[in-house]
Amino acid sequence: MESRFNYAENPVGAKAVKYVISAGKVVTDSSLPPLTKELVALRISQINGCAPCVEIHTKDAEHAGETSLRINLVPVWREAPVYTDAERAALALAEEGTRVADAAGGVSDETWAAASRHYDEDQLAALVAHIAVMNAFNRMNIITAQPAPGTYRPGQW
């Protein structure tokens, strides 16, 4: 697969990416658990069909200490007993926050309440920002047909 456009090499595209990365830094610096961040990023990227982000977050999750079993079961997290209640709440919020067009009401009150039981306000803010940033990256990659590099090294980006 060839990309349609390398937005990172375009002055306007590079500037946009810079600002999205800056928004993501807030999430990185937050107290949201690192493995939760990776599980959420992976699930959003799977839903959106973003090959480069699936590669990146699979490798980053593994590098951060996530097991292959839990990584492989992310698409079916509801049926897999290997996730904590907090992780389930984060994954549910990520799914509903990504599939806003599929549900007329957006994120349900039940999903928000579950996330609120497990995360403080700063962590919730980081989780919401993370969902938004991941969806932005996914869309930039999908619109421009970015392939999975196959050569990503954990922590590279």
Side-chain angles (χ1 to χ4, degrees), residues 25-74:
K25 178 114 172 68
V26 173
V27 178
T28 302
D29 294 344
S30 76
S31 63
L32 191 63
L35 291 179
T36 300
K37 291 176 210 173
E38 292 304 332
L39 293 173
V40 164
L42 179 57
R43 185 63 190 129
I44 291 167
S45 300
Q46 290 169 340
I47 291 167
N48 288 327
C50 182
C53 289
V54 168
E55 177 186 350
I56 289 165
H57 295 290
T58 297
K59 289 179 177 179
D60 282 349
E62 185 177 54
H63 183 73
E66 192 55 86
T67 66
S68 60
L69 176 67
R70 285 171 38 99
I71 291 169
N72 292 332
L73 290 176
V74 167

Side-chain angles (χ1 to χ4, degrees), residues 1-7 140-147:
M1 180 169 142
E2 283 189 44
S3 66
R4 294 180 177 133
F5 175 74
N6 187 339
Y7 54 82
M140 288 188 294
N141 286 333
I142 292 164
I143 291 166
T144 60
Q146 298 300 309

Side-chain angles (χ1 to χ4, degrees), residues 90-107:
L91 288 164
L93 186 63
E95 284 192 2
E96 288 185 24
T98 297
R99 293 181 163 146
V100 291
D102 296 343
V107 173

